[in-house]
Amino acid sequence: PTSNASASEFLQNDGAGALSWASADAGFIKYTVYTGGHSWDKTDNNPTKIIVEVQGGGGSSGSGDVDWSFGGSGGSGGYVRKFIDVSSISTATIVVGSGGVKNAGTSAGNSSWTDGTNTLTGGLGGNGANGVHPSPEHGAGGTGGTATGGDINIPGANGAYGQVDQLANCTTPSFFSSGSGTGFQRTALSYGAAIAGTAYGSGAGQGRGNNTTIDGANGADGVVIVWEFK
């Protein structure tokens, strides 16, 4: 064919060498990564099906005080995935949860998708508790976030209890990560600063005090990802 195709057509071969433009009735259109609150609306591409991924925010880690106490790690956020027929759905509200604030401060936030028919929620990860000598010298880890409403619902991982033999500075993994950190085992000489959550929804690694207070770190923000199909 010598004519130009429209935006909704593709070039097909009939098997005998003849080419023609045909309507693209099905197939992938695009994906969008939402890192903040937003409204989703059907675009000019007019998708009929979508896949939505919802990841809650990760929890912060606790601090360690001057007497060699250890803060707990933050829990990671819950993850939800769902296939949705949007033939009769035109808009949805997207919320992206923030990561928790260090030193057992503000909790991390839920992430969600709400379209009037479906509600998907990736729950927040809990903050790790501060370690305070003499009690509680070792802060408890934050709980993993809940996950509801999806075809696949994966709760977040619990943060680690602050302790002497814990792997040093490792973050709590979310669906989008396997955790990170130096990976060595803590000894009497391996005190140090906490590591912030990095991948979407991961919890922060703990802080360890040694003659001076060591801050915890912030959890990672969540995310919502929408995949659109004809």
Side-chain angles (χ1 to χ4, degrees):
T2 57
S3 62
N4 293 327
S6 70
S8 62
E9 292 181 321
F10 69 96
L11 191 63
Q12 76 174 359
N13 189 321
D14 68 358
L19 301 176
S20 62
W21 295 116
S23 174
D25 294 326
F28 173 69
I29 299 174
K30 68 173 185 176
Y31 73 92
T32 305
V33 177
Y34 297 93
T35 57
H38 208 277
S39 292
W40 177 86
D41 298 288
K42 282 187 178 179
T43 66
D44 292 338
N45 294 310
N46 195 30
T48 60
K49 308 291 191 300
I50 61 174
I51 294 173
V52 181
E53 299 182 84
V54 177
Q55 172 66 60
S60 65
S61 57
S63 64
D65 73 8
V66 296
D67 290 309
W68 300 282
S69 64
F70 318 111
S73 298
S76 61
Y79 171 84
V80 177
R81 182 190 297 172
K82 188 173 180 64
F83 174 83
I84 300 174
D85 186 329
V86 292
S87 298
S88 59
I89 295 172
S90 59
T91 187
T93 299
I94 292 171
V95 175
V96 176
S98 299
V101 178
K102 64 184 182 181
N103 301 338
T106 305
S107 293
N110 293 338
S111 295
S112 63
W113 162 281
T114 307
D115 59 31
T117 301
N118 305 280
T119 299
L120 318 181
T121 304
L124 57 87
N127 295 317
N130 296 331
V132 181
H133 184 78
S135 178
E137 188 165 4
H138 308 301
T143 56
T146 58
T148 59
D151 299 320
I152 298 174
N153 301 296
I154 303 176
N158 292 333
Y161 175 77
Q163 55 188 340
V164 172
D165 60 355
Q166 181 177 325
L167 290 177
N169 295 337
C170 288
T171 61
T172 306
S174 69
F175 176 83
F176 289 93
S177 74
S178 58
S180 64
T182 55
F184 61 85
Q185 199 166 26
R186 206 199 70 78
T187 70
L189 299 178
S190 65
Y191 301 95
I195 290 180
T198 51
Y200 296 124
S202 59
Q206 70 178 236
R208 301 162 176 79
N210 180 18
N211 293 324
T212 183
T213 298
I214 298 297
D215 276 352
N218 297 337
D221 294 343
V223 70
V224 174
I225 304 173
V226 181
W227 304 76
E228 299 182 8
F229 302 85
K230 290 186 180 295

